[in-house]
Amino acid sequence: MNLQKILKDYKKNKVSLKQLINFLSQLPYKKLKHSTLDIHRQLRRGVPEIVYCSGKTPQQILNILNTLYTQHKFAIGTRLDKQKYEEIKNKLPNHTYYDVAKIIYVGKKPKQKIGNILVITAGTSDIPIAEEAAVFCELLGNKVNRVYDVGVAGIHRVVEVIPYINKAKVIIVVAGMDGVLPSVIGGLSKVPVIAVPTSVGYGASFKGLSALLTMLNSCAPGVCVVNIDNGFGAGYIASIINKQSK
Amino acid sequence: MNLQKILKDYKKNKVSLKQLINFLSQLPYKKLKHSTLDIHRQLRRGVPEIVYCSGKTPQQILNILNTLYTQHKFAIGTRLDKQKYEEIKNKLPNHTYYDVAKIIYVGKKPKQKIGNILVITAGTSDIPIAEEAAVFCELLGNKVNRVYDVGVAGIHRVVEVIPYINKAKVIIVVAGMDGVLPSVIGGLSKVPVIAVPTSVGYGASFKGLSALLTMLNSCAPGVCVVNIDNGFGAGYIASIINKQSK
Amino acid sequence: MNLQKILKDYKKNKVSLKQLINFLSQLPYKKLKHSTLDIHRQLRRGVPEIVYCSGKTPQQILNILNTLYTQHKFAIGTRLDKQKYEEIKNKLPNHTYYDVAKIIYVGKKPKQKIGNILVITAGTSDIPIAEEAAVFCELLGNKVNRVYDVGVAGIHRVVEVIPYINKAKVIIVVAGMDGVLPSVIGGLSKVPVIAVPTSVGYGASFKGLSALLTMLNSCAPGVCVVNIDNGFGAGYIASIINKQSK
Amino acid sequence: MNLQKILKDYKKNKVSLKQLINFLSQLPYKKLKHSTLDIHRQLRRGVPEIVYCSGKTPQQILNILNTLYTQHKFAIGTRLDKQKYEEIKNKLPNHTYYDVAKIIYVGKKPKQKIGNILVITAGTSDIPIAEEAAVFCELLGNKVNRVYDVGVAGIHRVVEVIPYINKAKVIIVVAGMDGVLPSVIGGLSKVPVIAVPTSVGYGASFKGLSALLTMLNSCAPGVCVVNIDNGFGAGYIASIINKQSK
Amino acid sequence: MNLQKILKDYKKNKVSLKQLINFLSQLPYKKLKHSTLDIHRQLRRGVPEIVYCSGKTPQQILNILNTLYTQHKFAIGTRLDKQKYEEIKNKLPNHTYYDVAKIIYVGKKPKQKIGNILVITAGTSDIPIAEEAAVFCELLGNKVNRVYDVGVAGIHRVVEVIPYINKAKVIIVVAGMDGVLPSVIGGLSKVPVIAVPTSVGYGASFKGLSALLTMLNSCAPGVCVVNIDNGFGAGYIASIINKQSK
Amino acid sequence: MNLQKILKDYKKNKVSLKQLINFLSQLPYKKLKHSTLDIHRQLRRGVPEIVYCSGKTPQQILNILNTLYTQHKFAIGTRLDKQKYEEIKNKLPNHTYYDVAKIIYVGKKPKQKIGNILVITAGTSDIPIAEEAAVFCELLGNKVNRVYDVGVAGIHRVVEVIPYINKAKVIIVVAGMDGVLPSVIGGLSKVPVIAVPTSVGYGASFKGLSALLTMLNSCAPGVCVVNIDNGFGAGYIASIINKQSK
Amino acid sequence: MNLQKILKDYKKNKVSLKQLINFLSQLPYKKLKHSTLDIHRQLRRGVPEIVYCSGKTPQQILNILNTLYTQHKFAIGTRLDKQKYEEIKNKLPNHTYYDVAKIIYVGKKPKQKIGNILVITAGTSDIPIAEEAAVFCELLGNKVNRVYDVGVAGIHRVVEVIPYINKAKVIIVVAGMDGVLPSVIGGLSKVPVIAVPTSVGYGASFKGLSALLTMLNSCAPGVCVVNIDNGFGAGYIASIINKQSK
Amino acid sequence: MNLQKILKDYKKNKVSLKQLINFLSQLPYKKLKHSTLDIHRQLRRGVPEIVYCSGKTPQQILNILNTLYTQHKFAIGTRLDKQKYEEIKNKLPNHTYYDVAKIIYVGKKPKQKIGNILVITAGTSDIPIAEEAAVFCELLGNKVNRVYDVGVAGIHRVVEVIPYINKAKVIIVVAGMDGVLPSVIGGLSKVPVIAVPTSVGYGASFKGLSALLTMLNSCAPGVCVVNIDNGFGAGYIASIINKQSK
């Protein structure tokens, strides 16, 4: 660290008091930057920097992924359309593309799978958002169970999920239309439930608003909510909770 | 009927052609009025005219109830606050006041209880609206079962309701906050489910809007919805369905 | 049923007490599943399982329809675009496609037509949603009358519908823009009215929201509402009511 | 007019060119003020300046009414609560207070009643807003017919209004909840219909928003809309139309 | 009229009492239909039946226009896209197509131009809606003045419109974005102002909702509002007012 | 357990096969109830049943608290107004009332304080909701740090919170008005952030809706949201996460 | 400054390197705090810290005002109800209370009045919010002109304001209902216009939302918007702009 | 000026009194027009007339730009898509097209760069709107600093912006999604902050509404807001403030 050096130089009169104070006046920013970077490095042990590919050109995505890969030996991109992927796939190093989840992983995938995250969907149309969450969690080294198309209209399907619920450290429930499922799962679970409303539906579903409101008003405590269609956000927080669980 | 008489009088030349045509020119309105009155009389066999007491003065309520009672030998008022009731109770003939349901019934109550209407609530705060529906149905001669405070957080409570569901001809489900219960009940039932959102709740429940949207988007077919807090409306339509059921 | 067998085997000491209890511990789920299936079987007498084709690939639709057809000797799909239908029609067994209603029926159609469901629209643009309801009801074995383009601007058109109203067991009213028609029909009818708002319109119709609110606030009791454009949902509940009517 | 005088004085050299130009430089504002005042004077023949009393103190109301009365020999105040009226009534000259309409008229009322304005309400709770419109129109010298509590649930009531409709030059329709009535009346009428949504209702009526949207989406041409509860605004425009009618 | 005949035949015993009563029992509908048709005929003197072409196929439009033309010697269609027009133009009799207004007129246009309707727009993007109103009014035989692109940012432009305002019997003001213009014009005018919000704009204009709310809350009395982009509705009501003006 | 007994009795022929099957046919409900109760018992180790006191009468609250206390040796009530508390305090056993948090705890408080939950507020008006969360967490045996009135307008205040952030297992951030704080804290933290919007504010804060939307759209991953003013819900989920953390 | 001292002490070996580094490690926070405080001190030359009194108890307000007064020789509180003021006025040092603006100023008021801020209202009900802005600006040492009740219905009133507009460095326009005035003023002005929507109005004014949207959509460039009823916020930004103006 | 001439002619009897008054009666409009043009000329020194190209045809844009260029020696167009630009570029005189900002500048660009406007964005997707503001400001002769992609998730990035903040006369902050950045920047700045919400985002960002609300509710005073995506509006007001700053 150059701070030590400059302090010693100052003592040796190689650096004047004025020069030293001038140097120190820059410290708040530098120091803070350093410490937040430090936080970030810790964070990265759990969750790496992610590229949100929607709205970026293939060339931009390619550059950012390569840069991140060079720095960290891996890189993750979300919301990468198949079409854009096709344009860049040959210019990328060793990688995997998940087309339902629309996620790309560049680098060697983590082997270890710790904890237990359960990802549930109400319908089949909720699966792409659920996969965004599930694949993302797996790529961060979490063990993931999937139970899709549970619905709520047939309560027997819900009952079948109970054994999976009992094993989970955290549960992600993805649902559109009436957004009822997180309340039902929350009532059966003793671990945190991350509810993800989806924009699936028509009429008064208002692109996920109806499901969002249902989830926010959930009568089952232990349910919190992320933005509509935000599979990535749900996966991120689920991964944090899972990894810090006993 | 005076139509027959006037036609005969016309034939007897007691009434001129011009007079007759003049009389007939009024007919469309009279005749229609007659036929719709006829419809109304049939309706009244099932459902009498109802006084919506909210926003009326005690004196106005008293007058209308007395008039209806004189005509039909009974009268029903909804949304009658206890306070207003206290002011008029001594000036009314034989009657019953239901203070949770805020309903007044003037006259002799029907004895027969036909069919089977099930009224379910999610929470205890939904009970006043549910009672408005249930009492109203009973006063129209329907048999009513009540299962209150079912929630959805504890699925075992829902399972206990199944035997009641299997006996019902029509089900009214009253729920605020997340409005989840009608979807769950709808998934277990083969009869029509009338969902009533309530304005119970806080925060993003938006005075029942959240529950209303959940119910409209219900993934369980067989669910239809009435206005927020409209226990009377739910009871009315449930009574029609129950009475015309085999 | 294997329960009887295992109990007998247990008595014969072919099965130990521990094995038996282990078996029974699975029962809650199995048993419940059984009973709900039983409910479902009853349901299916009235209403079969329906495939919501929107958002599914032609291949997925084809597979599900074939599976359902094999199980039940018939299958119904809704929201099937003509284009998708063209891709699968040659691979399906004996079937009928209704292009206005966007419904496909695979199998032999029911002959009997019971009860009387009246389907009314306000305008011509409401017809596709009305047809979804009407065709669906017919395919479930209900008798259906259609009166389309009634409007409300010309009250004489409404008056002409009265004879049909008087014969119906349940009425579906489909309307966009001002959503006025269900209130008017509800005022003339003594049977349940299922109101379907449509997303037809422009400006402050807000894709059916305006019509939805009008219908929820209907001053005519006996009116309940389903989601915007939900012809299928209206048909489903109308079919239940019609079939259980005297 | 002093313009003439100053121009003559200028010619007589009593006023310099500079003084004259200085005077004229003020003219745009003065002149415009003058001409708009002129417009206003014409306006006032039809419609006087009105005091919106809500949110003003009794003393403020008293002062403004007295000032206007002194200028124009009459004055009108709207939204004057009975309580405030009681506080000022003894300090006002000859006047009339309409307590349902919450309107005060100071001065001698106009005798003549020209044209024909029809004011209709859907329910009894809409009457205060309707009276605001009706009384205001009468005070401006219009002939007014009132038909209240028409509803729409019983179409025979609507039919009875037809004779009044046929005589009107302009129709004001006041309705809350579903806001259906203006569409129905608009379909029967060949004169302009001014629709006034009211904040009467509960649940998804959203304080008049539902009725407002219904009216804006009215399928009957010839209907225009004013703000929720704006009886005064409806009366104002109806008066203009009525007075300029043949 | 056959009523007279049947009554005479009845007197001559050519028709029995029962037959007569049977005939009369049909009257309410027929009679009402007749009287409303009568109303409609009167209406048609002012405003003919209009075809809303949006959402109809070219063939449907062609058929309806031809039918109306045969009946009334003229026909009007609104919201007719140029593309659809191109497909039918050769199969239509003598007609005119207004491509900005998207209106088609089949038949001989009215020569007389009575009264004075002023159509004003705030911006250039509001012109198509304004033209829908203006052309429609002209085709109904009204005299129309147009002042487009007045804005409100430059008050001098507003001042220039004053002479046109002073000559008008009724004013249509078409504006999007802030929807300010009707309030300003309303403050300068003593005739009715019909405000038309347009869906022009971006951001928090919310497809005309912002302009709509501004107009409903207009502080200038004498302003009423029609639906967003509803040039036809504004023209219709303006035509009624203009034609019945002295 | 009587299942074992009845099975043994059956083997001993004390119970017939039919009786046994009859008994077992009740099992699904009983068994499920049992297992969910079991789940609930586990839950209760972490989080007891809570009484939501708002909307209940003092007598009702008293009864429920006493019942729960008898069962579990403690009971917790939320949203208990001081006024109601005053009415029941003398009839309750040993208890503590937290008047800012509006929470009552009946029984002996837990001594152990495990983990580390950080509760932060943006302003002073957010404190009651924050206290609801914080007190509730403490009563469940969690260690809680509070940093209130951090704001965001002065970034130096945020920086001061960093040491507390670095020690927390989970963070609750309570904020009204602009709802900005959770995003800022989320950007500094590697543990889950539970955001609680409050209804504090005026104007376009729309009773917490603005803050809710800000939080849902948070650009900092690791943030999830509970309902407006739902301090209890935030505390519940924070407690679960904290307790299952290493 | 102790940094200099500790550095000198270190050179003199009174402080060890480790101690010095430990001290410096605290610097980022301290230093930043210092620099932001520095920013704040500069800010305070223009704008002091303000107490938002709404939602605080009289005692809390008293304490904060006294603390701020001790530090800065003056203190300002906004949204202080008269009732609360009455409770504390005798315990405060030399001060002024503005009851329309609901502002309290403790200490000696600034004498100088620099620049020129124009505060305009559309109606009389907008005056309290305008006074909050105007008084606040004056207390910060700005020269303020007020022109209230300009309306927009009478354009001549607007024209009269032009001379004031031409002298202003920045203009605050306060308006409810239709919110039209800022657009009109913006079109006449070449300085920044701060628009303040007010919650004054009824019906579809939606507590200021309508005015807010109008202002955001203003077609006159140079207009920006603050929150509904946020007179303080408008005054704050106007003061900054005025003070930094030539 | 012809006013002087006509006055002199009047004195010389070349013009009669009547003629003079007739001339003067036109003055209000002429005079006002003159004076507002004068205002506009002054305005134009700071901000020229701008062409909003969206919704105009290439030919229309070409004509307007050429006309403005002829009058003022320069012209500016905003929201000009690249595609439209390609169609007209060869027919325009010397010009520059900014494709990210979608701005065209015809004529010789201003050399001088006065003051200091800082333009900040939260993310990369906000850059096009920021560029609209920044380029526009530069073309009006303002000095502009850009700091893009600051985010808020990493507070160290914000800290780095402080030096730029301290140099600015006015700051434009462009942000979508959670809209948090203006509050943070506002808390660090003593100059006006113009917040621009962008429609960037998904889910409950509701096309910029969420960011708009956040900004309106900003707890940092000194923040005002323009319409969603209104980079031009922000640039316009920032330019005014910057140019009138010391």
Side-chain angles (χ1 to χ4, degrees), chain E residues 153 178 180 183 187 204-205 210 214 217 219, chain G residues 153 178 183 187 204-205 210 214 217 219:
Chain E
D178 57 10
V180 160
S183 285
S205 70
S210 172
T214 309
N217 285 288
C219 296
Chain G
D178 57 10
S183 284
S205 71
S210 172
T214 309
N217 285 289
C219 296

Side-chain angles (χ1 to χ4, degrees), chain G residues 195-239:
Chain G
V196 190
T198 64
S199 57
V200 167
Y202 61 95
S205 71
F206 297 125
K207 301 202 174 298
L209 178 59
S210 172
L212 170 62
L213 291 177
T214 309
M215 292 167 180
L216 283 168
N217 285 289
S218 175
C219 296
V223 177
C224 67
V225 187
V226 296
N227 201 353
I228 298 164
D229 289 339
N230 193 3
F232 159 69
Y236 191 107
I237 199 167
S239 173

Side-chain angles (χ1 to χ4, degrees), chain A residues 114-121 130 133-134 137-138 142-148 150 158 160-174 181 185-186 188-189 191-196 234-235 238-239 242:
Chain A
I114 68 172
N116 189 311
I117 296 173
L118 175 59
V119 182
I120 305 177
T121 75
C137 286
E138 286 174 335
N142 300 282
K143 182 170 175 354
V144 175
N145 279 325
R146 291 161 172 88
V147 185
Y148 288 170
V150 169
V158 173
E160 283 168 41
V161 185
I162 293 178
Y164 295 91
I165 291 173
N166 289 339
K167 278 182 290 185
K169 297 290 186 201
V170 55
I171 303 171
I172 294 169
V173 187
V174 185
L181 196 59
I185 299 298
L188 291 169
S189 161
V191 299
V193 172
I194 317 296
V196 190
S239 174
N242 183 51

Side-chain angles (χ1 to χ4, degrees), chain B residues 96-129:
Chain B
T96 312
Y97 178 69
Y98 302 82
D99 62 349
V100 177
K102 293 192 177 168
I103 286 178
I104 189 162
Y105 188 92
V106 185
K108 206 172 130 191
K109 276 179 284 183
K111 282 198 184 137
Q112 122 210 65
K113 298 285 174 199
I114 68 171
N116 189 311
I117 296 174
L118 174 59
V119 182
I120 305 177
T121 75
T124 50
S125 343
D126 304 317
I127 291 174
I129 300 304

Side-chain angles (χ1 to χ4, degrees), chain C residues 152-155 158-159 162 176-180 183-184 186-188 202-206 209-210 213-221, chain D residues 152-155 158-159 162 176-180 183-184 186-188 202-206 209-210 213-221:
Chain C
V152 87
I155 206 168
V158 173
V159 173
I162 294 177
M177 292 300 295
D178 57 10
V180 160
S183 285
V184 174
L188 291 169
Y202 62 94
S205 70
F206 297 126
L209 178 60
S210 172
L213 291 177
T214 309
M215 291 168 179
L216 283 168
N217 285 288
S218 174
C219 297
Chain D
V152 84
I155 207 169
V158 172
V159 172
I162 293 177
M177 292 302 294
D178 58 10
V180 160
S183 285
V184 174
L188 292 169
Y202 61 95
S205 71
F206 297 125
L209 178 59
S210 171
L213 291 177
T214 310
M215 292 168 179
L216 283 168
N217 285 288
S218 175
C219 296

